[in-house]
Amino acid sequence: SEVDIPYGLCMWSAGQGAQDLASKLSESIPMQAQLAVEHARGDRSRLFVDDYNRLLGIPDGSILALGDCARTTAEKPLPQTAQVAAQQGAYVARILNRGYVLSQDGPPAMPSDDFSALARSRGRVEAPPFRFLDLGRLAYLGEGTAVAEFGVGTTVSKARGRAAFLLWRSVYLVKQVSFRNRVLVLFDWIKSKVFGRDLTRF
């Protein structure tokens, strides 16, 4: 039965749930279930990976996980942000593009073919483990204000208000994929500043 509830402001807040694929994969791999009990209080919504983003419990290293569905057994987990996922994606792409052998125990290593001879001569036989470089966080608050926490590694600086807003806008603009998108976003910002926001579609 339907019920009408009078209200002045309706706010819906919901977290993101785990994808069925990650949960089912975690349930089907015994080591994942064991790690979930030991390190995550039985939560199987995320998959445990090693330092090279290989799924733990898969001997041949054929499954990689990254982003929100991946976690390590480290004491301090990585934040579930786009920054982590982007860095993990770039790392996995390098590992795959350079042809590292993922099926061996320990660090992935270069195959012994002619293509990898240059990398071997430079001493890059084994893949380095993934290391997250925390570049900070930015949040737009509206009305031309934002908050920022940024730095490299352990050095952290904080900003808020107009300065953080300008920083947020500059990072947002730089992260656009193409020059065309940068121009369009910039033009849209200028247009909304001069003429106000377009509310005709609402």
Side-chain angles (χ1 to χ4, degrees), residues 51-52 91 94-95 98 100 107-108 126-131:
D51 290 337
Y52 308 94
Y91 172 80
R94 278 194 305 274
I95 295 290
R98 292 178 183 168
Y100 284 97
E126 293 181 343
F130 172 75
R131 293 288 175 252

Side-chain angles (χ1 to χ4, degrees), residues 34-112:
Q34 177 187 347
L35 288 168
V37 170
E38 292 173 6
H39 296 280
R41 298 184 202 138
D43 177 23
R44 296 183 184 182
S45 62
R46 297 173 70 195
L47 301 165
F48 285 92
V49 296
D50 65 5
D51 290 337
Y52 308 94
N53 288 76
R54 296 178 296 195
L55 206 63
L56 293 173
I58 302 294
D60 64 356
S62 61
I63 301 177
L64 301 168
L66 54 109
D68 288 354
C69 76
R71 67 176 152 206
T72 64
T73 57
E75 209 170 293
K76 186 177 179 188
L78 295 175
Q80 290 179 275
T81 61
Q83 186 181 168
V84 174
Q87 289 182 28
Q88 286 177 328
Y91 172 80
V92 167
R94 278 194 305 274
I95 295 290
L96 295 175
N97 285 337
R98 292 178 183 168
Y100 284 97
V101 178
L102 298 170
S103 59
Q104 65 185 33
D105 288 334
M110 284 287 209
S112 56

Side-chain angles (χ1 to χ4, degrees), residues 9-174:
L9 172 68
C10 178
M11 184 172 124
W12 178 61
S13 175
Q16 294 182 340
Q19 294 295 319
D20 289 339
L21 175 65
S23 298
K24 288 179 181 174
L25 197 56
S26 178
E27 290 171 7
S28 67
I29 302 169
M31 186 177 193
Q32 290 288 324
Q34 177 187 347
L35 288 168
V37 170
E38 292 173 6
H39 296 280
R41 298 184 202 138
D43 177 23
R44 296 183 184 182
S45 62
R46 297 173 70 195
L47 301 165
F48 285 92
V49 296
D50 65 5
D51 290 337
Y52 308 94
N53 288 76
R54 296 178 296 195
L55 206 63
L56 293 173
I58 302 294
D60 64 356
S62 61
I63 301 177
L64 301 168
L66 54 109
D68 288 354
C69 76
R71 67 176 152 206
T72 64
T73 57
E75 209 170 293
K76 186 177 179 188
L78 295 175
Q80 290 179 275
T81 61
Q83 186 181 168
V84 174
Q87 289 182 28
Q88 286 177 328
Y91 172 80
V92 167
R94 278 194 305 274
I95 295 290
L96 295 175
N97 285 337
R98 292 178 183 168
Y100 284 97
V101 178
L102 298 170
S103 59
Q104 65 185 33
D105 288 334
M110 284 287 209
S112 56
D113 59 8
D114 294 337
F115 178 73
S116 59
L118 178 62
R120 286 180 168 280
S121 68
R122 297 177 71 191
R124 297 185 182 176
V125 178
E126 293 181 343
F130 172 75
R131 293 288 175 252
F132 172 60
L133 178 62
D134 189 359
L135 299 174
R137 283 149 295 289
L138 296 166
Y140 174 62
L141 301 176
E143 300 293 324
T145 60
V147 291
E149 185 178 85
F150 53 93
V152 177
T154 58
T155 306
V156 177
S157 299
K158 296 180 181 180
R160 63 179 183 203
R162 201 67 145 152
F165 175 69
L166 293 173
L167 180 64
W168 177 83
R169 280 237 164 140
S170 63
V171 169
Y172 188 88
L173 207 57
V174 168

